[in-house]
Amino acid sequence: MDRSKLYRRFRTLLIANRGEIACRVIRTARAMGLRTVAVYSEADRDAMHVALADEAVLLGPARARDSYLNVERLVEAAKKTGAEAVHPGYGFLSENAEFAQACYDAGLVFVGPTAAMMNAMGSKSGSKALMEKAGVPLVPGYHGDAQDDATLAKAAEKVGFPVLVKASAGGGGRGMRIVRSAAELGPAIVSAKREAKAAFGDDRMLIEKYVDNPRHIEVQIIGDSHGNLLSLFERECTLQRRHQKVIEEAPSPTLNAAQRETVCAAARKAAGAVNYVGAGTIEFVSDGKDVFFIEMNTRLQVEHPVTELITGIDLVEWQLRVAFGEALPLKQDEIKLDGCAVEARVYAENPTKNFMPSVGRISTWRLPAETGGLRIDAGYREGDSVSPHYDAMLAKMIAWAPTRDVAIDRLNRGLEDSDVRGIVTNIPFLSALITHPKVRANAIDTGFIERELAVLTSASPAPGELELCAAVAAIVNDERQADTSSPWQTFGWQPVGRRRRNFAFRVGHGPEQKIALNYGSGPSTLVIGERELAFAIAPKHGGFDLTLDGVKSSVAAVIDGHELYLRTRNGRFELHWVDPFGGETEEQTGADKIAAPLPGTVVAVLAEEGAKLEKGAPILTLEVMKMEQTLRAPYAGVLKSIKCKVGDIVQEGIELAVVEASGE
Ligand code: ADP
Ligand code: ADP
Ligand code: MG
């Protein structure tokens, strides 16, 4: 194959993927002046990646097999739009040699390695055989062609239990079984084969020594078509659930400089064994001392941003430059490691329900700004739907800082400042995970999450005084923004006299918690039991600042009917507002004063002294800020006196009339 035919300059790029990675690739391609073409399934008509691209082509029905995995339709989409190159992202067809070949055959540049390289490295067995020859340290095991029961049993015996039975074609942690004794081996092979056949259409197995409580360490590499190959340091991805990464960081806090150089050299050797072109990752497990090769991923990885943040290199830009046929712009000794980066994968899933995926419409999507070392690679926006057809990853949040501790704190702050509603996410779980003392101390292994699950998914705290006050403030704030006739409007009228409005809230099936709002003339207060608290609300995007007892703090709020979501400095709270319409009583408290709520002019007097008034009967009209407002009787009674006449200019708070309540 002539490499100049494989890799050459192009102007239009088709992204054969969806979600955050499609958006991520489009962003860099656009910055490089390329035209971008998105592809989508029927479920993704309104998806973010479709909106971001210059053009978009419908592939077919929602099912991945009918759309994102349909090679023919993808090649057709490129032809139709004049795309000259294809970026496969990760997942889907990114490691599919037939797809790379089909692109080449159609005259398209495939942004990645050649089909031959993928074939060599795509199977775990094949790549291990290659690595063995190249002298890269391997996990001891069997990766031969013979697949009969006797051969596999003998191999497991020789390796020594526990062993890991692994699908050679595997990915995403599927087709893998830990086997602790000879008796378990047969059934484990049968079930792993069944899973592998279904997921990858290939049930070849390999057997590996199971490294107990290992760490996962991997090295980012990239090669060009001129024979240059670089390693871009390592990532530690030990925090996993079911062999799937959850948190990744760079550099690994486990390695010292000498170990770092050893693992990077091993990775360059591994990739060099196939003269690798493009971005790739060499994965190792480590027992804490040594590292052992497990597999190579011949594509961009989910966690590539942590490498970008510590090297300052845009890996997608480099992928595209390699695909243009350019030489890599830096030499190995020009690549510098700066600071630390940590990434968290934000999923639509419920950690308290065994991480069950959560599908539906994202009604609220408020993530913090990408400032102060925070980066967010998202594939969804407010109003988007999470479909059951695809991976449930919504976004990645990544934080960089000069030190690991600060990077963790920044990431945690970013997670804490995120409000996503409509679907369930793992955001609180991620927050609990990265702030766990053992994570901070790097005292972890791949089994950590499973062991600590109870702690990591523990229930949120019960609402306290601040949350009850915030709940009432949220309702009041919402009413005054939604309803211009509400007395809570910014420049509206405060009803004369004091009123009390009672509220009750409940968390789940817990007890009702009561709070009352006193309002009317004079400043409003909140009453919980015996305590009466002065408060003030200043609305802002996504919520308001609540000043309570002289302390101002930020509250994020989402009100959906009777359901309130609040985020205060104490965490996230979900409260049910008990009977918001029927249960309240507006009772009169204290003496009423009919007073000017703002400075204005008396334009009409509507009742005479001594008149009997129904509750709500008009007494006089003021003009304030060019708007007329009528002051009314706060309760039934007799108009004792009127203290003003038409034309008077009155100051705020001045008493204008007195009503004496009737006895009943
Ligand atoms: P990484 O090491 O980058 O996490 P994985 O092998 O776990 O690599 O897969 C990368 C991502 O692609 C994961 O989020 C996975 O769920 C997703 N993925 C893997 N295979 C497919 C597929 N066939 N279709 C859609 N998504 C996939
Ligand atoms: P996948 O293609 O699904 O990513 P990998 O071979 O990369 O498969 O393994 C996924 C994860 O399984 C690793 O990150 C590691 O946590 C665990 N694992 C893999 N091989 C071993 C092993 N030999 N011993 C212990 N754990 C392993
Ligand atoms: Mg892997």
Side-chain angles (χ1 to χ4, degrees):
M1 235 177 243
D2 177 3
R3 286 203 162 167
S4 68
K5 269 175 79 187
L6 273 164
Y7 301 112
R8 59 171 193 279
R9 212 166 170 92
F10 49 84
R11 292 197 50 230
T12 303
L13 177 69
L14 180 141
I15 298 94
N17 216 301
R18 66 181 301 283
E20 72 84 18
I21 192 59
C23 299
R24 156 77 192 90
V25 172
I26 290 169
R27 209 178 314 128
T28 288
R30 159 100 28 99
M32 292 172 75
L34 300 179
R35 232 175 98 238
T36 55
V37 179
V39 291
Y40 62 97
S41 71
E42 278 163 14
D44 276 343
R45 282 179 192 283
D46 302 318
M48 184 170 168
H49 73 285
V50 176
L52 282 183
D54 296 308
E55 282 167 65
V57 181
L58 175 67
L59 292 173
R63 228 170 36 156
R65 211 192 316 155
D66 301 325
S67 49
Y68 298 104
L69 293 174
N70 187 332
V71 173
E72 213 173 295
R73 295 285 290 145
L74 284 160
V75 170
E76 235 174 73
K79 290 262 134 115
K80 219 166 160 175
T81 52
E84 302 146 277
V86 174
H87 193 301
Y90 56 69
F92 293 127
L93 295 168
S94 62
E95 295 192 89
N96 185 308
E98 280 157 43
F99 180 52
Q101 188 62 45
C103 289
Y104 177 79
D105 292 343
L108 301 166
V109 175
F110 181 79
V111 182
T114 63
M117 290 171 202
M118 278 192 207
N119 278 329
M121 300 304 278
S123 95
K124 294 191 206 297
S125 304
S127 67
K128 283 186 81 176
L130 256 168
M131 291 308 109
E132 198 167 28
K133 251 198 265 157
V136 175
L138 301 183
V139 186
Y142 170 80
H143 44 265
D145 289 332
Q147 292 286 310
D148 57 286
D149 294 352
T151 305
L152 295 177
K154 220 165 81 199
E157 222 41 83
K158 191 168 162 224
V159 168
F161 294 97
V163 299
L164 194 59
V165 172
K166 233 190 223 187
S168 181
R174 280 173 300 174
M176 228 185 263
R177 298 286 183 279
I178 300 168
V179 181
R180 299 202 175 264
S181 70
E184 294 170 28
L185 186 67
I189 289 176
V190 170
S191 87
K193 281 197 169 188
R194 199 182 321 116
E195 190 174 304
K197 187 83 194 169
F200 317 109
D202 178 344
D203 65 0
R204 277 171 300 164
M205 291 288 139
L206 57 100
I207 292 189
E208 265 176 19
K209 176 78 195 161
Y210 180 68
V211 182
D212 253 316
N213 306 328
R215 287 173 175 277
H216 175 112
I217 291 169
E218 60 184 34
V219 177
Q220 177 70 54
I221 55 105
I222 188 161
D224 65 23
S225 57
H226 304 272
N228 303 303
L229 181 76
L230 301 172
S231 60
L232 305 181
F233 303 109
E234 81 288 359
R235 297 183 282 257
E236 170 128 10
C237 316
T238 297
L239 289 170
Q240 304 185 348
R241 217 194 115 253
R242 304 215 167 133
H243 308 299
Q244 271 270 45
K245 299 154 188 168
V246 178
I247 303 283
E248 306 100 340
E249 60 179 296
S252 161
T254 311
L255 305 183
N256 60 33
Q259 291 169 311
R260 173 162 302 119
E261 182 40 39
T262 304
V263 69
C264 289
R268 290 195 297 269
K269 201 174 201 180
V274 286
N275 299 316
Y276 191 74
V277 178
T281 297
I282 314 290
E283 296 192 329
F284 301 90
V285 285
S286 170
D287 57 7
K289 289 201 316 285
D290 301 305
V291 295
F292 306 100
F293 173 86
I294 51 171
E295 69 158 344
M296 175 169 188
N297 290 322
T298 56
R299 55 170 163 87
L300 195 67
Q301 210 120 342
V302 174
E303 56 273 22
H304 74 277
V306 291
T307 299
E308 297 187 318
L309 293 186
I310 61 156
T311 58
I313 293 166
D314 181 332
L315 277 164
V316 173
E317 181 195 330
W318 279 28
Q319 280 190 302
L320 293 171
R321 291 174 69 166
V322 166
F324 287 163
E326 290 179 22
L328 290 168
L330 296 180
K331 302 265 170 290
Q332 188 67 56
D333 62 4
E334 292 173 317
I335 294 164
K336 298 276 186 270
L337 194 168
D338 179 27
C340 292
V342 189
E343 172 181 284
R345 299 189 186 192
V346 176
Y347 275 89
E349 65 183 15
N350 190 341
T352 63
K353 291 198 173 137
N354 198 27
F355 296 88
M356 192 165 67
S358 172
V359 299
R361 186 175 169 275
I362 302 173
S363 53
T364 302
W365 177 263
R366 296 181 199 146
L367 267 52
E370 292 181 276
T371 54
L374 198 65
R375 164 172 166 182
I376 296 167
D377 285 15
Y380 291 80
R381 305 154 298 180
E382 193 155 293
D384 286 349
S385 286
V386 181
S387 145
H389 296 280
Y390 315 111
D391 191 85
M393 193 171 79
L394 302 173
K396 304 178 304 205
M397 192 175 283
I398 316 106
W400 177 92
T403 65
R404 182 173 184 266
D405 272 329
V406 176
I408 287 175
D409 289 336
R410 282 180 172 171
L411 178 57
N412 184 48
R413 184 66 205 265
L415 292 165
E416 283 184 345
D417 287 350
S418 299
D419 301 303
V420 178
R421 306 291 298 160
I423 46 155
V424 183
T425 76
N426 66 342
I427 291 174
F429 165 80
L430 292 171
S431 218
L433 181 57
I434 59 161
T435 54
H436 192 294
K438 288 198 167 164
V439 171
R440 205 175 273 271
N442 190 32
I444 53 167
D445 58 72
T446 54
F448 178 82
I449 291 177
E450 224 67 60
R451 288 197 303 275
E452 295 290 320
L453 210 50
V455 173
L456 298 173
T457 55
S458 61
S460 43
E465 189 176 88
L466 171 63
E467 287 69 42
L468 289 179
C469 292
V472 173
I475 291 166
V476 163
N477 187 47
D478 194 56
E479 285 175 356
R480 79 171 159 199
Q481 284 177 355
D483 176 11
T484 47
S485 71
S486 154
W488 292 102
Q489 249 197 98
T490 318
F491 291 108
W493 293 84
Q494 304 267 314
V496 287
R498 292 300 273 176
R499 292 280 186 281
R500 170 170 285 208
R501 189 170 166 195
N502 296 310
F503 294 85
F505 300 100
R506 210 174 51 213
V507 176
H509 297 291
E512 282 185 18
Q513 286 177 280
K514 294 190 183 336
I515 177 170
L517 171 71
N518 278 348
Y519 64 102
S521 38
S524 304
T525 57
L526 290 161
V527 182
I528 302 175
E530 301 288 287
R531 272 168 69 71
E532 181 161 12
L533 300 142
F535 77 103
I537 311 168
K540 62 181 190 185
H541 181 70
F544 49 88
D545 280 329
L546 174 65
T547 304
L548 193 64
D549 238 4
V551 178
K552 184 188 84 166
S553 68
S554 177
V555 176
V558 179
I559 301 183
D560 181 13
H562 299 195
E563 307 311 318
L564 270 69
Y565 163 83
L566 298 172
R567 181 167 53 78
T568 71
R569 62 165 175 262
N570 300 321
R572 295 184 174 83
F573 300 85
E574 286 179 24
L575 286 83
H576 176 75
W577 180 12
V578 181
D579 207 5
F581 306 112
E584 79 200 57
T585 56
E586 284 213 352
E587 54 198 52
Q588 186 205 323
T589 60
D592 270 280
K593 193 170 137 186
I594 295 162
L598 286 171
T601 309
V602 178
V603 294
V605 172
L606 305 164
E608 284 171 21
E609 280 183 1
K612 279 191 77 172
L613 301 175
E614 295 292 299
K615 179 181 175 183
I619 299 170
L620 53 89
T621 301
L622 284 179
E623 189 190 276
V624 177
M625 298 176 76
K626 301 203 168 72
M627 289 194 10
E628 287 197 359
Q629 179 74 29
T630 297
L631 301 192
R632 294 168 186 277
Y635 39 80
V638 175
L639 184 55
K640 281 284 288 188
S641 69
I642 292 205
K643 300 182 163 185
C644 58
K645 57 181 191 305
V646 171
D648 281 359
I649 293 170
V650 295
Q651 292 308 307
E652 178 182 350
I654 293 291
E655 187 168 49
L656 302 174
V658 179
V659 179
E660 195 175 78
S662 42
E664 67 273 21

